[in-house]
Amino acid sequence: EVLLTEEAAKNALVMPFLQALGYNVFNPSEVIPEFTCDVGTKKGEKVDYAICHDGKVSILVECKPASSELNINHASQLFRYFSVTDARVAILTNGVVFKFFSDIDSPNKMDPQAFFSFQLDGIKKTDLRTLTNFMKGSFDIEKIVAEAGNLKMQSLVAKELEREFADPSEEFVRLIAN
């Protein structure tokens, strides 16, 4: 209830998260706050943070208030920003939920579905393993994109299995019976 504004979520949750990944949030050549992303006729639009590696923007971070339910409408800014930067990863967060996006489906175009998400108040060991890929010291964009593809495939397989278990097809029943 004390994190009602975007700034409160950024200061209390997002900046410490970025620091935990090894980024110096007080070094504007590493973590650029209010990074300007001009898109077509929209000038002066800003993403909350741009994280740089080797002088290039690698990750875009868009923050919302902690009380916000994150949805695809919140990601609309990231869709626009993603295509005009070198970033291959975008994070949409309210400080509690973190959703990670990439361009697996189409180069330089952010996918509509997150390839990875986690909640700070419900973090799992597998989440920590995935997050190590985003740490400053081990950041490798090709490895991250490959992992994103794997996570996306796992998610699709899991959804298909859920659907089959809920309403089994004749083929699935035969397969299990055999």
Side-chain angles (χ1 to χ4, degrees):
E1 61 272 0
V2 297
L3 299 172
L4 298 177
T5 67
E6 184 178 309
E7 283 303 311
K10 286 175 10 183
N11 290 330
L13 300 170
V14 178
M15 287 173 59
F17 171 74
L18 296 176
Q19 283 184 303
L21 291 177
Y23 300 101
N24 182 352
V25 296
F26 301 109
N27 179 350
S29 66
E30 190 171 309
V31 178
I32 305 169
E34 296 296 310
F35 181 72
T36 301
C37 291
D38 290 337
V39 182
T41 59
K42 291 191 175 228
K43 302 291 183 202
E45 284 207 328
K46 297 178 186 335
V47 64
D48 291 307
Y49 299 106
I51 299 172
C52 299
H53 288 95
D54 301 323
K56 290 183 178 179
V57 173
S58 300
I59 303 173
L60 300 174
V61 183
E62 181 62 27
C63 306
K64 299 299 173 194
S67 58
S68 292
E69 282 289 325
L70 298 179
N71 60 46
I72 200 69
N73 295 335
H74 291 128
S76 64
Q77 285 177 288
L78 281 175
F79 282 109
R80 291 191 303 272
Y81 306 151
F82 199 85
S83 63
V84 296
T85 66
D86 293 328
R88 299 278 316 272
V89 174
I91 302 171
L92 176 64
T93 184
N94 61 11
V96 178
V97 176
F98 288 76
K99 295 185 176 201
F100 291 70
F101 298 84
S102 189
D103 58 353
I104 302 163
D105 296 338
S106 202
N108 205 32
K109 183 179 177 196
M110 191 176 98
D111 298 336
Q113 297 293 322
F115 69 85
F116 170 64
S117 65
F118 75 94
Q119 289 189 215
L120 277 182
D121 57 355
I123 199 158
K124 302 177 291 249
K125 284 183 182 180
T126 55
D127 296 337
L128 294 175
R129 219 171 308 129
T130 299
L131 286 172
T132 60
N133 293 324
F134 296 93
M135 294 186 74
K136 179 183 174 184
S138 59
F139 186 85
D140 178 348
I141 193 61
E142 296 308 319
K143 185 177 176 184
I144 289 170
V145 172
E147 176 74 6
N150 291 338
L151 289 171
K152 183 177 180 179
M153 183 60 67
Q154 288 172 7
S155 174
L156 292 172
V157 168
K159 284 179 186 174
E160 185 63 29
L161 283 173
E162 281 178 25
R163 201 177 90 231
E164 283 291 340
F165 280 119
D167 185 22
S169 66
E170 192 173 320
E171 289 176 48
F172 187 69
V173 172
R174 283 190 186 137
L175 179 69
I176 297 299
N178 285 333

